[in-house]
Amino acid sequence: MGGVPEIVAWRGAGVNRSLIVAVAWCFAYLTLVCAPLLLLPTDSGGPFAWNLAIALGYGGLAIMGLQFALTARFRGATAPFGIDVIYFFHRWVAVGGLVLLIGHWGVFRVYFPTALGVMDPRNAPVGLTAGRIALLLFATVIASSLWRKRIGLEYDLWRLGHIALAIAAVVLSAVHVRGSRSLTESTPLRWLWIGYGCAWIVLVAYVRFFRPWRLLRTPYRVTDVREERGSAWTLTLVPESHSGLTFRPGQFAWLTLRASPFAAREHPFSFSGSAADIPQLSFTIKELGDFSGRIGTVAVGERAFVDGPHGVFTIDRHPDAPGFVFVVGGVGVAPIMSMLRTLADREDPRPLQLIYANVQWDAVLFREELAELADRLDLSVTHVLERPPADWDQPRGRVSAAILDDAIRRAPSETVFFVCGPERMNDVVQRLLHDQDVPLRRVHSELFDMV
Amino acid sequence: MMRTRIAFALVCGVVLLVIGLAVRFAGVGTEGGRQPSDPPTTAGTDTLPRIDGARERGQAIFEAQGCASCHSIGAIGNPRYPLDRVGAKRDDISIREWILAEGTARDSLSSTVRRSKTGYREMSPSDLGILVQYLTTLRTIRIR
């Protein structure tokens, strides 16, 4: 991928168009959530609380059903927002949906306890039992996502459970709606739910069967496994019998190793290589979790599957920026390396600054290559170490307001900032930049590790 | 970051919009102006005659069979199909036919409703009898 044509193409899909597309998708989402409520028959009669409970249930179920579309990774729909924010929205709107469903059950529990029938599933109507189990499953899915690490649930197991329980919860909800027959005698509403049900089945089939099948047909082969500083490894992959994918520097992909794409054992990692090096792909992965802790045991020749690219954390969204400042912590340097390597390959003349925080000098990933890149680019690198060696003459501790203030003073106005590190560092740096009057529109970060 | 703030605002907006539409629908569709602050009724137990414990058994069977998901008695249960005066309108044979979707009642019910009533055919004859007897005693509206 050569530089200029792609940048022009990306600019063609510029901010204004992205905004229009984003607003259109928001409108479509709201319409789909609200449609069951808008089609409720207004002549249904019945007490206020009864109708309120039914409407809350329909709203909550519409939100839960649409959760599958949010995480289906449709690039056209996610591009204007960034898929990390889509997942952020997915996470919190699920909590909102659960609140609505608990409200649905709670209003019945308080005002119409008899309508809930007996609890014993052997004697209770199937529809009501299905509703109870669905509510419990939704609560379990959300709780296990919010507190996965706290309860010590392994990622792959969580992911499989998340998928299975969420599908079961929606199916049981459909049984509940059909069994309770609440206002579904209304023809438009009945057809709407039938339509939603069919669309949901198609969506699940696409995500769980068609897309894995497509990935299976476009495998990659591991050609290099290189140990880096700081317990990190760089994997290099090349496509097998296909042309591979193109990506923007800073984007990421879901990587499957030692498993079939159907097994849903995939993990998101940023590309760390130059976007100009395609079809070869590189990922730099630190030994941190269940999956990444074994990354060093991957052997050359192993097969891999890559679902991507995703994300909007890329310099290519800002072709008119006069320069960039990168504020990075630890392995967060991976997507920034992709940006710097690509900028070097493109011979980009813009002024760049890298503020790179680590604990100790020995663990600084790519420090030698960064020194070389500083010669090829208009790049200044500031290392910040928490535990520096005795003769250290650069900043100590963590990224501070003074360090950022110095970077802001040296940067041209309208410089764009990219922040990539641990969640705590990202929050602090973004707050410090905000305090120094850098507008949020010029500060970009990516959400990792949401589960 | 800006995107997460917008996303969180959207989440709040979606939930509030759904609650707003639900309240609006509940207000428009409300019958008789009853509000959620009204105390729940107790199925008019004071007005029901005591028939050797059959009423309590009948109520218990009514609850256990999930009849309240479609019907209400004393404003408890699905208010779309109240059974408060069913005893004044139908005799025990007719009520049995409506429960089981048999006889003349069968033609008046949709196929969906007929399917939903198939479970009642698996009730024991005594439970069915008690339920029918209970329903025949419902002759007054018991909404307070």
Side-chain angles (χ1 to χ4, degrees), chain A residues 26 30 33-34 37 40-42 44-48 50-52 55 59 81-82 84-85 88-89 92 96 100 111-112 114-115 117-118 123 125 178 180-181 183 185 312 430 440 445 447, chain B residues 1-5 7 10-11 14-15 17-19 21-23 25-31 34-36 38 40 63-66 68-70 75-81 115-116:
Chain A
C26 287
L30 289 174
V33 167
C34 296
L37 296 166
L40 280 165
T42 52
S44 61
F48 179 94
W50 182 275
N51 290 336
L52 179 68
F81 309 95
D84 58 329
V85 163
F88 177 88
F89 181 83
W92 291 112
L100 295 174
Y111 291 98
F112 312 101
T114 318
V118 294
N123 299 322
R178 180 160 170 70
S180 58
R181 294 180 298 284
L183 307 182
E185 303 88 344
V312 292
Q430 287 176 79
L440 282 174
S445 178
L447 299 168
Chain B
M1 66 184 176
M2 183 182 268
R3 291 184 302 134
T4 54
R5 288 186 187 186
L10 258 177
V11 168
V14 168
V15 174
L17 182 63
V18 169
I19 291 173
L21 285 173
V23 170
F25 162 72
V28 170
T30 295
E31 182 182 63
R34 287 192 343 114
Q35 297 299 310
D38 291 346
E63 290 179 24
Q65 292 294 324
S69 64
C70 294
I76 291 184
N78 189 336
R80 298 206 69 204
Y81 303 107
R115 274 198 301 278
S116 73

Coordinates of all heavy atoms in Angstrom, one line a residue, chain A residues 26 30 33-34 37 40-42 44-48 50-52 55 59 81-82 84-85 88-89 92 96 100 111-112 114-115 117-118 123 125 178 180-181 183 185 312 430 440 445 447, chain B residues 1-5 7 10-11 14-15 17-19 21-23 25-31 34-36 38 40 63-66 68-70 75-81 115-116:
Chain A
C26 N -27.1 6.0 14.3 CA -27.7 6.2 15.6 C -29.2 6.3 15.4 O -30.0 5.7 16.2 CB -27.3 7.6 16.2 SG -25.6 7.6 16.8
L30 N -31.9 3.7 17.2 CA -33.0 4.2 18.0 C -34.4 3.7 17.4 O -35.3 3.4 18.2 CB -33.0 5.7 18.1 CG -31.9 6.3 19.0 CD1 -31.8 7.8 18.9 CD2 -32.0 5.8 20.4
V33 N -34.9 0.1 18.3 CA -35.2 -0.1 19.8 C -36.6 0.4 20.1 O -37.4 -0.3 20.8 CB -34.2 0.7 20.6 CG1 -34.7 0.8 22.1 CG2 -32.8 0.0 20.6
C34 N -37.0 1.5 19.5 CA -38.3 2.1 19.8 C -39.5 1.5 19.1 O -40.6 1.7 19.5 CB -38.2 3.6 19.6 SG -37.0 4.4 20.7
L37 N -42.2 -0.3 20.9 CA -43.0 0.6 21.8 C -44.0 1.4 21.0 O -45.1 1.7 21.4 CB -42.0 1.4 22.6 CG -41.1 0.7 23.5 CD1 -40.0 1.6 24.0 CD2 -41.9 0.2 24.7
L40 N -47.1 -0.6 19.9 CA -48.0 -1.1 21.0 C -49.4 -0.5 20.7 O -49.6 0.7 20.5 CB -47.5 -0.7 22.4 CG -46.4 -1.6 22.9 CD1 -45.8 -0.9 24.1 CD2 -46.9 -3.0 23.3
P41 N -50.5 -1.3 20.8 CA -51.8 -0.8 20.6 C -52.3 0.2 21.6 O -52.1 -0.2 22.8 CB -52.7 -2.1 20.6 CG -51.9 -3.1 21.3 CD -50.5 -2.8 21.1
T42 N -52.7 1.3 21.2 CA -53.1 2.3 22.2 C -54.5 2.1 22.8 O -54.8 2.8 23.8 CB -53.1 3.7 21.6 OG1 -53.9 3.7 20.4 CG2 -51.7 4.2 21.2
S44 N -55.3 -0.8 24.2 CA -55.2 -2.1 24.9 C -56.0 -2.1 26.2 O -56.3 -3.2 26.7 CB -53.7 -2.4 25.2 OG -53.2 -1.4 26.0
G45 N -56.3 -1.0 26.8 CA -56.9 -1.0 28.1 C -56.0 -1.5 29.2 O -54.8 -1.6 28.9
G46 N -56.5 -1.8 30.3 CA -55.6 -2.3 31.4 C -55.0 -1.2 32.2 O -55.0 0.0 31.8
P47 N -54.6 -1.5 33.4 CA -54.0 -0.5 34.3 C -52.7 0.1 33.8 O -52.0 -0.6 33.0 CB -53.8 -1.3 35.6 CG -54.5 -2.6 35.5 CD -54.6 -2.8 34.0
F48 N -52.4 1.3 34.3 CA -51.1 2.0 33.9 C -49.9 1.1 34.2 O -49.1 0.9 33.3 CB -51.0 3.2 34.8 CG -49.8 4.0 34.5 CD1 -49.8 5.1 33.6 CD2 -48.6 3.8 35.2 CE1 -48.7 5.9 33.4 CE2 -47.5 4.5 35.0 CZ -47.5 5.6 34.1
W50 N -49.6 -2.1 34.5 CA -49.6 -3.3 33.6 C -49.0 -3.0 32.2 O -48.1 -3.6 31.7 CB -51.0 -3.9 33.4 CG -51.0 -5.1 32.6 CD1 -51.1 -5.2 31.2 CD2 -51.0 -6.5 33.1 NE1 -51.1 -6.5 30.8 CE2 -51.0 -7.3 31.9 CE3 -50.9 -7.0 34.3 CZ2 -51.0 -8.7 32.0 CZ3 -50.9 -8.4 34.4 CH2 -50.9 -9.2 33.3
N51 N -49.5 -1.9 31.7 CA -49.0 -1.4 30.4 C -47.5 -1.0 30.5 O -46.7 -1.2 29.6 CB -49.8 -0.3 29.8 CG -51.2 -0.8 29.4 OD1 -51.4 -1.9 29.1 ND2 -52.2 0.1 29.5
L52 N -47.2 -0.3 31.6 CA -45.8 0.2 31.7 C -44.9 -1.0 31.8 O -43.8 -1.1 31.1 CB -45.7 1.0 33.0 CG -44.3 1.5 33.4 CD1 -43.9 2.6 32.4 CD2 -44.3 2.0 34.8
A55 N -44.4 -2.5 28.3 CA -43.6 -1.6 27.5 C -42.1 -1.7 27.9 O -41.2 -1.7 27.0 CB -44.1 -0.2 27.5
G59 N -39.0 -2.8 25.4 CA -37.9 -1.9 25.2 C -36.6 -2.6 25.6 O -35.6 -2.6 24.9
F81 N -17.6 5.4 14.2 CA -17.5 5.6 15.6 C -16.1 5.0 16.2 O -15.6 5.6 17.2 CB -18.6 4.8 16.3 CG -20.0 5.1 15.8 CD1 -20.6 4.3 14.8 CD2 -20.7 6.2 16.3 CE1 -21.8 4.6 14.4 CE2 -21.9 6.5 15.8 CZ -22.5 5.7 14.9
G82 N -15.6 4.0 15.6 CA -14.5 3.2 16.1 C -15.2 2.0 16.9 O -16.1 2.2 17.7
D84 N -14.0 0.2 19.2 CA -13.9 0.2 20.6 C -15.0 0.9 21.3 O -15.5 0.4 22.4 CB -12.5 0.8 21.0 CG -12.4 2.2 20.5 OD1 -12.9 2.5 19.5 OD2 -11.7 3.0 21.2
V85 N -15.5 2.0 20.7 CA -16.6 2.7 21.3 C -17.9 1.9 21.1 O -18.8 2.0 22.0 CB -16.7 4.1 20.8 CG1 -18.0 4.8 21.0 CG2 -15.6 5.0 21.4
F88 N -17.9 -0.3 23.9 CA -18.1 0.4 25.1 C -19.6 0.6 25.2 O -20.2 0.4 26.3 CB -17.4 1.8 25.0 CG -17.6 2.7 26.2 CD1 -16.9 2.6 27.3 CD2 -18.6 3.7 26.1 CE1 -17.1 3.5 28.4 CE2 -18.9 4.5 27.1 CZ -18.1 4.5 28.3
F89 N -20.3 1.0 24.1 CA -21.7 1.3 24.1 C -22.4 -0.1 24.4 O -23.4 -0.1 25.2 CB -22.1 1.8 22.7 CG -23.6 2.1 22.6 CD1 -24.1 3.3 23.1 CD2 -24.4 1.2 22.0 CE1 -25.5 3.6 22.9 CE2 -25.8 1.5 21.9 CZ -26.3 2.6 22.3
W92 N -22.4 -0.8 28.2 CA -23.2 0.0 29.1 C -24.7 0.0 28.7 O -25.6 0.1 29.6 CB -22.7 1.4 29.2 CG -21.4 1.3 29.9 CD1 -20.1 1.6 29.4 CD2 -21.1 0.9 31.3 NE1 -19.1 1.4 30.3 CE2 -19.7 1.0 31.5 CE3 -22.0 0.6 32.3 CZ2 -19.2 0.7 32.7 CZ3 -21.4 0.2 33.5 CH2 -20.0 0.3 33.7
G96 N -28.2 -0.9 30.8 CA -29.5 -0.1 30.7 C -30.6 -1.1 30.3 O -31.7 -1.0 30.9
L100 N -34.1 -2.1 32.5 CA -35.5 -2.0 31.9 C -36.2 -3.4 32.2 O -37.3 -3.5 32.5 CB -35.5 -1.7 30.4 CG -35.0 -0.3 30.1 CD1 -34.9 -0.2 28.6 CD2 -35.9 0.7 30.6
Y111 N -47.2 -5.0 41.6 CA -48.6 -4.6 41.3 C -49.4 -5.9 40.9 O -50.6 -5.9 41.1 CB -48.7 -3.5 40.3 CG -48.2 -2.2 40.8 CD1 -46.9 -1.8 40.5 CD2 -49.0 -1.4 41.6 CE1 -46.5 -0.6 41.0 CE2 -48.6 -0.2 42.1 CZ -47.3 0.2 41.8 OH -46.8 1.4 42.4
F112 N -48.8 -6.8 40.3 CA -49.6 -8.0 39.8 C -48.9 -9.3 40.1 O -48.5 -10.0 39.2 CB -49.8 -7.9 38.3 CG -50.3 -6.5 37.8 CD1 -49.4 -5.6 37.3 CD2 -51.6 -6.2 38.0 CE1 -49.9 -4.4 36.9 CE2 -52.1 -4.9 37.6 CZ -51.2 -4.0 37.0
T114 N -49.8 -12.1 41.2 CA -50.4 -13.3 40.7 C -50.1 -13.6 39.3 O -50.1 -14.8 38.9 CB -51.9 -13.2 40.9 OG1 -52.2 -12.6 42.2 CG2 -52.6 -14.5 40.9
A115 N -50.0 -12.5 38.5 CA -49.7 -12.8 37.1 C -48.4 -13.5 36.8 O -48.2 -14.1 35.8 CB -49.7 -11.4 36.3
G117 N -47.5 -16.0 38.4 CA -47.7 -17.4 38.6 C -46.7 -18.0 39.7 O -46.0 -17.3 40.4
V118 N -46.7 -19.3 39.8 CA -45.8 -19.9 40.8 C -44.4 -20.0 40.2 O -44.1 -20.0 39.0 CB -46.3 -21.4 41.1 CG1 -47.7 -21.3 41.8 CG2 -46.4 -22.2 39.8
N123 N -44.6 -26.5 37.7 CA -46.1 -26.2 37.7 C -46.3 -24.9 37.0 O -47.5 -24.6 36.7 CB -46.6 -26.0 39.2 CG -46.4 -27.4 39.9 OD1 -46.7 -28.4 39.4 ND2 -46.0 -27.3 41.2
P125 N -46.3 -21.9 34.1 CA -46.4 -21.9 32.6 C -45.0 -21.7 32.0 O -44.2 -21.0 32.5 CB -47.3 -20.7 32.3 CG -48.0 -20.3 33.6 CD -47.1 -20.8 34.7
R178 N -43.9 -15.0 23.4 CA -45.0 -15.8 22.8 C -45.9 -16.4 23.8 O -47.1 -16.4 23.7 CB -44.3 -16.8 21.9 CG -45.3 -17.7 21.2 CD -44.8 -18.4 20.0 NE -45.7 -19.4 19.5 CZ -46.8 -19.2 18.9 NH1 -47.2 -17.9 18.7 NH2 -47.6 -20.1 18.5
S180 N -46.5 -15.4 26.9 CA -47.3 -14.5 27.7 C -48.3 -13.8 26.9 O -49.3 -13.2 27.5 CB -46.4 -13.4 28.4 OG -45.6 -12.7 27.5
R181 N -48.1 -13.7 25.6 CA -49.1 -13.2 24.6 C -49.5 -11.8 25.0 O -50.7 -11.4 24.8 CB -50.4 -14.1 24.6 CG -50.1 -15.4 24.0 CD -51.3 -16.2 23.9 NE -51.9 -16.5 25.2 CZ -51.4 -17.4 26.1 NH1 -50.4 -18.1 25.7 NH2 -52.0 -17.6 27.2
L183 N -50.2 -8.4 24.4 CA -50.4 -7.4 23.4 C -49.9 -7.8 22.0 O -49.8 -7.0 21.1 CB -49.8 -6.0 23.8 CG -50.3 -5.5 25.1 CD1 -49.6 -4.1 25.3 CD2 -51.8 -5.4 25.2
E185 N -51.3 -9.7 20.1 CA -52.4 -10.0 19.2 C -52.4 -8.9 18.2 O -53.0 -9.0 17.1 CB -53.8 -9.9 19.9 CG -53.9 -11.0 21.1 CD -53.4 -10.4 22.4 OE1 -52.7 -9.4 22.3 OE2 -53.7 -11.0 23.4
V312 N -10.5 3.1 14.7 CA -10.3 4.4 14.1 C -9.1 5.1 14.7 O -8.9 6.3 14.5 CB -11.5 5.3 14.2 CG1 -12.7 4.7 13.4 CG2 -11.9 5.4 15.7
Q430 N -5.2 12.1 29.4 CA -6.3 12.9 28.7 C -6.8 14.0 29.6 O -7.1 15.1 29.1 CB -7.4 11.9 28.4 CG -7.1 11.0 27.2 CD -8.1 10.0 26.9 OE1 -9.1 10.3 26.3 NE2 -7.9 8.7 27.3
L440 N -10.8 18.0 23.1 CA -10.9 16.6 23.0 C -10.9 16.1 21.6 O -10.5 14.9 21.4 CB -12.3 16.2 23.7 CG -12.3 16.1 25.2 CD1 -13.8 15.9 25.7 CD2 -11.4 15.0 25.7
S445 N -7.7 8.2 21.7 CA -7.3 7.0 22.5 C -8.1 5.8 22.1 O -9.1 6.0 21.5 CB -7.5 7.4 24.0 OG -7.1 6.3 24.8
L447 N -9.9 2.2 23.5 CA -10.2 1.4 24.7 C -9.8 0.0 24.5 O -10.2 -0.7 23.6 CB -11.8 1.4 24.9 CG -12.4 2.8 25.1 CD1 -13.9 2.7 25.0 CD2 -11.9 3.4 26.5
Chain B
M1 N -12.4 10.2 27.1 CA -12.2 10.7 25.8 C -13.6 11.1 25.2 O -14.6 10.6 25.7 CB -11.5 9.7 24.9 CG -12.2 8.4 24.6 SD -11.0 7.4 23.6 CE -12.0 5.9 23.5
M2 N -13.6 11.9 24.2 CA -14.8 12.5 23.7 C -15.8 11.4 23.2 O -17.0 11.4 23.5 CB -14.5 13.4 22.5 CG -15.7 14.1 21.9 SD -15.4 15.1 20.6 CE -15.1 16.7 21.4
R3 N -15.2 10.3 22.5 CA -16.1 9.3 22.0 C -16.8 8.5 23.0 O -18.0 8.2 22.9 CB -15.3 8.4 21.1 CG -14.8 9.0 19.8 CD -14.0 8.0 18.9 NE -12.9 7.4 19.6 CZ -12.6 6.1 19.5 NH1 -13.4 5.3 18.9 NH2 -11.6 5.6 20.2
T4 N -16.1 8.3 24.2 CA -16.8 7.5 25.2 C -17.8 8.4 25.9 O -18.9 7.9 26.3 CB -15.8 7.0 26.3 OG1 -15.0 8.1 26.7 CG2 -14.9 6.0 25.7
R5 N -17.6 9.7 26.0 CA -18.6 10.6 26.6 C -19.8 10.6 25.8 O -20.9 10.5 26.3 CB -18.0 12.0 26.7 CG -17.0 12.1 27.8 CD -16.6 13.5 28.0 NE -15.5 13.6 28.9 CZ -15.0 14.8 29.4 NH1 -15.5 15.9 29.0 NH2 -13.9 14.8 30.2
A7 N -20.7 8.3 23.7 CA -21.4 6.9 23.8 C -22.1 6.8 25.0 O -23.3 6.2 25.0 CB -20.3 5.9 23.6
L10 N -25.3 8.6 24.8 CA -26.2 7.9 24.0 C -26.9 6.8 24.8 O -28.1 6.5 24.6 CB -25.5 7.3 22.8 CG -25.7 8.1 21.5 CD1 -24.8 7.4 20.4 CD2 -27.1 8.1 21.0
V11 N -26.1 6.1 25.6 CA -26.7 5.0 26.4 C -27.8 5.5 27.3 O -28.9 5.0 27.3 CB -25.6 4.3 27.3 CG1 -26.3 3.4 28.3 CG2 -24.7 3.5 26.4
V14 N -30.8 6.5 25.2 CA -31.6 5.3 24.8 C -32.5 4.8 25.9 O -33.7 4.6 25.7 CB -30.7 4.2 24.3 CG1 -31.5 2.9 24.1 CG2 -30.0 4.6 23.0
V15 N -31.9 4.7 27.1 CA -32.7 4.1 28.2 C -33.8 5.1 28.6 O -35.0 4.7 28.8 CB -31.8 3.9 29.4 CG1 -32.6 3.4 30.6 CG2 -30.8 2.8 29.1
L17 N -35.2 7.3 26.7 CA -36.2 7.4 25.6 C -37.2 6.2 25.7 O -38.4 6.3 25.6 CB -35.5 7.3 24.3 CG -36.4 7.4 23.0 CD1 -37.1 8.7 23.0 CD2 -35.5 7.2 21.8
V18 N -36.6 5.0 26.0 CA -37.5 3.8 26.2 C -38.4 4.0 27.4 O -39.6 3.7 27.3 CB -36.6 2.5 26.4 CG1 -37.5 1.4 26.8 CG2 -35.9 2.2 25.1
I19 N -37.9 4.5 28.5 CA -38.7 4.7 29.7 C -39.8 5.8 29.3 O -41.0 5.6 29.7 CB -37.9 5.2 30.9 CG1 -37.0 4.0 31.3 CG2 -38.8 5.7 32.0 CD1 -36.0 4.4 32.4
L21 N -41.1 6.5 26.4 CA -42.1 5.9 25.5 C -43.0 4.9 26.3 O -44.2 4.8 26.0 CB -41.4 5.2 24.3 CG -40.9 6.1 23.2 CD1 -40.1 5.3 22.2 CD2 -42.0 6.9 22.5
A22 N -42.4 4.2 27.2 CA -43.2 3.2 28.0 C -44.2 3.9 28.9 O -45.4 3.5 28.9 CB -42.2 2.4 28.9
V23 N -43.8 5.0 29.5 CA -44.7 5.8 30.3 C -45.8 6.4 29.5 O -47.0 6.4 29.8 CB -44.0 6.9 31.1 CG1 -44.9 7.8 31.8 CG2 -43.0 6.3 32.1
F25 N -46.9 5.2 26.6 CA -47.9 4.2 26.2 C -48.8 3.8 27.3 O -50.0 3.6 27.2 CB -47.1 3.0 25.7 CG -47.9 1.7 25.7 CD1 -48.9 1.5 24.7 CD2 -47.7 0.7 26.6 CE1 -49.7 0.4 24.7 CE2 -48.5 -0.4 26.6 CZ -49.5 -0.6 25.7
A26 N -48.2 3.6 28.5 CA -49.0 3.2 29.7 C -50.0 4.2 30.0 O -51.2 3.9 30.3 CB -48.0 3.0 30.9
G27 N -49.7 5.5 29.8 CA -50.7 6.6 30.1 C -51.8 6.6 29.1 O -53.0 6.6 29.4
V28 N -51.4 6.4 27.8 CA -52.5 6.4 26.7 C -53.3 5.2 26.8 O -54.6 5.3 26.7 CB -51.8 6.5 25.3 CG1 -52.8 6.2 24.2 CG2 -51.1 7.8 25.2
G29 N -52.7 4.1 27.1 CA -53.5 2.8 27.1 C -54.2 2.5 28.4 O -54.9 1.5 28.5
T30 N -54.0 3.4 29.4 CA -54.6 3.1 30.7 C -56.1 3.1 30.7 O -56.7 4.0 30.1 CB -54.0 4.0 31.8 OG1 -52.6 3.8 31.9 CG2 -54.7 3.8 33.1
E31 N -56.7 2.2 31.4 CA -58.1 2.1 31.4 C -58.6 2.6 32.8 O -58.1 2.1 33.8 CB -58.5 0.7 31.2 CG -60.0 0.4 31.2 CD -60.3 -1.1 31.1 OE1 -59.9 -1.8 32.0 OE2 -60.8 -1.5 30.1
R34 N -56.5 4.3 36.5 CA -55.8 3.8 37.7 C -54.3 4.1 37.5 O -53.8 3.9 36.4 CB -56.0 2.3 37.8 CG -57.4 1.9 38.3 CD -57.6 0.5 38.8 NE -56.6 -0.4 38.3 CZ -55.7 -1.0 39.1 NH1 -55.7 -0.8 40.3 NH2 -54.9 -1.9 38.5
Q35 N -53.7 4.4 38.5 CA -52.2 4.8 38.5 C -51.4 3.8 39.3 O -52.0 3.1 40.2 CB -52.0 6.2 39.0 CG -52.7 7.3 38.2 CD -52.2 7.3 36.7 OE1 -51.0 7.3 36.5 NE2 -53.1 7.3 35.8
P36 N -50.1 3.7 39.0 CA -49.3 2.7 39.8 C -49.3 3.0 41.3 O -49.0 2.1 42.0 CB -47.9 2.9 39.2 CG -48.0 4.1 38.4 CD -49.4 4.4 38.0
D38 N -51.9 3.5 43.0 CA -53.0 2.8 43.7 C -52.5 1.5 44.3 O -51.7 0.8 43.7 CB -54.1 2.4 42.6 CG -54.7 3.7 42.1 OD1 -54.6 4.8 42.7 OD2 -55.4 3.6 41.0
P40 N -52.3 -2.3 45.3 CA -52.8 -3.5 44.6 C -54.0 -4.1 45.3 O -54.1 -4.1 46.5 CB -51.6 -4.5 44.6 CG -50.7 -3.9 45.7 CD -51.0 -2.5 45.8
E63 N -53.5 -19.7 40.0 CA -52.2 -19.2 40.0 C -51.2 -20.2 39.4 O -50.4 -19.8 38.6 CB -51.8 -18.8 41.4 CG -52.5 -17.6 42.0 CD -52.1 -17.3 43.4 OE1 -50.9 -17.6 43.8 OE2 -52.9 -16.6 44.1
A64 N -51.3 -21.4 39.9 CA -50.3 -22.4 39.5 C -50.4 -22.7 38.0 O -49.4 -22.9 37.3 CB -50.6 -23.7 40.2
Q65 N -51.6 -22.6 37.4 CA -51.7 -22.8 36.0 C -51.3 -21.6 35.1 O -51.3 -21.7 33.9 CB -53.2 -23.3 35.6 CG -53.6 -24.6 36.2 CD -52.8 -25.7 35.6 OE1 -52.5 -25.7 34.4 NE2 -52.4 -26.7 36.4
G66 N -51.0 -20.5 35.8 CA -50.6 -19.3 35.0 C -51.8 -18.7 34.3 O -51.6 -17.9 33.3
A68 N -53.4 -16.2 35.2 CA -53.3 -14.8 35.3 C -52.4 -14.1 34.2 O -52.4 -12.9 34.1 CB -52.7 -14.4 36.7
S69 N -51.7 -14.9 33.5 CA -50.9 -14.3 32.4 C -51.9 -13.9 31.3 O -51.5 -13.0 30.4 CB -49.9 -15.3 31.8 OG -50.5 -16.4 31.2
C70 N -53.1 -14.4 31.2 CA -54.1 -13.9 30.2 C -55.3 -13.3 30.8 O -56.0 -12.5 30.2 CB -54.5 -15.1 29.3 SG -53.2 -15.8 28.3
A75 N -58.7 -7.5 39.4 CA -57.6 -6.6 38.9 C -56.2 -7.2 39.1 O -55.2 -6.5 39.0 CB -57.7 -5.2 39.6
I76 N -56.2 -8.4 39.5 CA -54.9 -9.1 39.6 C -54.8 -10.1 38.4 O -55.6 -10.9 38.2 CB -54.7 -9.9 40.9 CG1 -54.6 -8.8 42.0 CG2 -53.5 -10.8 40.9 CD1 -54.3 -9.4 43.4
G77 N -53.7 -9.9 37.6 CA -53.5 -10.7 36.4 C -53.7 -9.8 35.2 O -53.8 -8.6 35.3
N78 N -53.7 -10.4 34.1 CA -53.8 -9.7 32.8 C -55.2 -9.0 32.7 O -56.2 -9.8 32.6 CB -53.5 -10.6 31.6 CG -53.4 -9.9 30.3 OD1 -53.9 -8.8 30.2 ND2 -52.7 -10.5 29.4
P79 N -55.3 -7.7 32.7 CA -56.6 -7.1 32.8 C -57.3 -7.1 31.4 O -58.5 -6.7 31.3 CB -56.2 -5.6 33.1 CG -54.8 -5.4 32.7 CD -54.2 -6.8 32.8
R80 N -56.7 -7.6 30.4 CA -57.3 -7.6 29.1 C -58.5 -8.6 29.1 O -59.5 -8.4 28.4 CB -56.4 -8.0 28.0 CG -55.2 -7.0 27.9 CD -54.6 -7.0 26.5 NE -55.6 -6.5 25.5 CZ -55.6 -6.7 24.2 NH1 -54.7 -7.6 23.8 NH2 -56.5 -6.2 23.4
Y81 N -58.4 -9.7 29.8 CA -59.5 -10.6 29.8 C -59.9 -10.9 31.3 O -59.6 -12.0 31.8 CB -59.0 -11.9 29.1 CG -58.6 -11.7 27.7 CD1 -57.2 -11.8 27.4 CD2 -59.5 -11.4 26.7 CE1 -56.8 -11.5 26.1 CE2 -59.0 -11.1 25.4 CZ -57.7 -11.2 25.1 OH -57.2 -10.9 23.9
R115 N -54.0 -23.5 21.3 CA -52.7 -24.2 21.6 C -52.3 -23.9 23.0 O -51.8 -24.8 23.8 CB -51.6 -23.8 20.6 CG -51.6 -24.6 19.3 CD -50.3 -24.5 18.7 NE -49.9 -23.1 18.3 CZ -50.4 -22.5 17.2 NH1 -51.2 -23.1 16.4 NH2 -50.1 -21.2 17.0
S116 N -52.5 -22.6 23.4 CA -52.1 -22.3 24.8 C -52.9 -23.0 25.9 O -52.5 -23.0 27.0 CB -52.2 -20.7 25.0 OG -53.5 -20.4 25.1

